Amino acid sequence: MTKAPQSFRPEGWLRARLAAGAGRRAVLYDGPLRPLCPLVPNNVNAMAAAAVAAPRLGFDGVRACLVADPGVPDWHVVEVEVTGVGDGGRALSVTSTRRNPAAPGAVTGSATREAFWGSLRACHGHGGCVQLC
């Protein structure tokens, strides 16, 4: 996940790392999702959803990478890579990138609310869904 530095609301040691990288692109965190969640609870909802959607991986198996980049002042960029187990060292890998417009300093992108409600309406329109409705 890449956002402008002012879009993060970090806690603990992550706050100091964000301040140390001021003015330049900086990788704030790269590792398992679980320890990241309490450090930026307002910024990792998409990652947490991925952990819930992949119960075999969960919060310890999902790898999170958080990047502060002043070059994207009005965007939140979320890149998701899913890799399956392959045979002979080869595996299927799918990457998706979402660019969500966001007001400078906003924690959540401006399209998030409508995308969420659109998903719920579509789910309800197709007879409901067990996980969401």
Side-chain angles (χ1 to χ4, degrees):
M1 177 180 294
T2 302
K3 296 182 179 184
Q6 66 269 25
S7 292
F8 291 108
R9 304 295 185 267
E11 299 292 333
W13 61 265
L14 198 59
R15 181 179 292 154
R17 183 167 287 176
L18 179 64
R24 61 182 170 78
R25 180 180 169 88
V27 175
L28 302 177
Y29 181 86
D30 190 356
L33 176 60
R34 184 178 303 277
L36 181 62
C37 289
L39 296 171
V40 281
N42 296 318
N43 298 110
V44 293
N45 56 3
M47 294 180 192
V52 171
R56 288 184 52 200
L57 297 175
F59 286 82
D60 297 311
V62 169
R63 184 178 147 255
C65 183
L66 205 60
V67 179
D69 186 352
V72 292
D74 52 0
W75 291 97
H76 294 171
V77 182
V78 178
E79 185 172 351
V80 178
E81 180 180 348
V82 179
T83 303
V85 177
D87 55 324
R90 296 171 37 137
L92 172 68
S93 180
V94 177
T95 302
S96 173
T97 301
R98 179 185 81 193
R99 294 179 53 88
N100 191 351
V107 173
T108 302
S110 57
T112 301
R113 181 178 180 268
E114 287 304 313
F116 175 77
W117 286 116
S119 295
L120 286 179
R121 283 193 304 270
C123 176
H124 180 71
H126 289 98
C129 58
V130 176
Q131 276 87 18
L132 294 176
C133 300

